[in-house]
Amino acid sequence: MGSTQVAGGTAVETTPEPKYWQLRTVLVRALDTEFSAGEVLPNERDLSARFGVARATLRQALDQLELEGRLVRRRGIGTLVAAPRMGVPMVEATDNHFGAGRDSWRIVDADYAAAPAAVAAALGVAADEPVHVVRRLRMMRGQAIGAETLYVPDAVVPQPPGSYIKHSLAESSRARSVLRQLQRLEPDGESRAVELGVAEDEAARLLERPPGIPVLVVTARYRAQGRVAVVGVSTYRADTCRLTFGESGMVEVAPVAAPAPAEVRAAS
């Protein structure tokens, strides 16, 4: 049964923390003071004995810390302390965000199809009007950390003769063509909305993680010639990434600290 506190003359019923969450707090303290990144933790039996908890409670706490990106489980090795989150710069389009052929991006495929309703509305096109759709992965240290989808209307990149052929080489060539044309775009402003979400099936597959893991969803709108010219929707792994904005990286978005959307606007 929870305790009752009085705040401003109003009785507030508080709920006691679950035992696994109390243990999680203790484990965080231990990870910060006793272990280094990459170090293997003692086995579950030893940890249970040390902290005086049941194995089931310990597993819940370890599962939570793995979800937060503090621990990594490796088959045949055990549970390791995860490396610090990678700082991922959110560069502006003027800094060659649309760059084609860069090592940090890997093209997945390209299509010519209707955009989601919210994206179509932002682009100012009809809900059933096809647009260029380019999907690619953002790579760091050889690992896929983010999956991005760019939506580009014909008004920005005219549709060339011929249809999109569902063939990996044709899709890659088409995607590079769209990206090369975007490189010539001169954006006059952009805005980004960042919110916490969960990975749907396709994004989870691309990021090689199970569906439902926490992710950071970044929706970017790039303006040119007085209109939204491109919309990009990116999904970043919240367990390994820390998004930074601006040259100094002063604004950082961490998954636990971002329960509500946060708007980040670049000066136009």
Side-chain angles (χ1 to χ4, degrees), residues 158-220:
Q159 164 74 338
S163 60
Y164 273 79
I165 303 172
K166 285 296 180 182
H167 183 277
S168 59
L169 292 178
E171 289 180 19
S172 176
S173 176
R174 187 80 67 172
R176 293 184 187 282
S177 175
V178 172
L179 290 171
R180 280 195 298 269
Q181 293 181 72
L182 286 180
Q183 281 187 291
R184 296 194 289 269
L185 186 68
E186 297 183 1
D188 51 36
E190 64 183 88
S191 65
R192 288 188 178 91
V194 184
E195 58 189 319
L196 185 65
V198 295
E200 304 292 345
D201 289 346
E202 180 63 15
R205 182 185 67 80
L206 291 173
L207 296 176
E208 300 180 342
R209 297 292 289 160
I213 66 163
V215 292
L216 295 168
V217 181
V218 181
T219 302

Side-chain angles (χ1 to χ4, degrees), residues 49-141:
R50 171 178 170 175
F51 296 108
V53 297
R55 299 265 298 262
T57 301
L58 175 68
R59 289 194 190 103
Q60 279 186 288
L62 295 178
D63 287 345
Q64 176 63 36
L65 291 173
E66 183 182 22
L67 191 65
E68 295 174 16
R70 291 177 175 271
L71 296 178
V72 179
R73 283 171 169 147
R74 294 280 186 264
R75 187 183 300 275
I77 298 177
T79 302
L80 294 78
V81 180
R85 285 186 177 86
M86 291 180 282
V88 182
M90 296 286 103
V91 297
E92 301 178 7
T94 50
D95 291 326
N96 200 24
H97 178 80
F98 303 127
R102 295 167 61 195
D103 292 340
S104 58
W105 294 99
R106 180 182 297 169
I107 291 173
V108 176
D109 60 23
D111 202 353
Y112 190 62
V119 173
L123 291 171
V125 301
D128 59 349
E129 180 178 336
V131 298
H132 301 277
V133 182
V134 175
R135 301 179 185 87
R136 57 185 184 169
L137 291 175
R138 188 166 185 178
M139 311 296 294
M140 288 188 74
R141 303 174 190 170

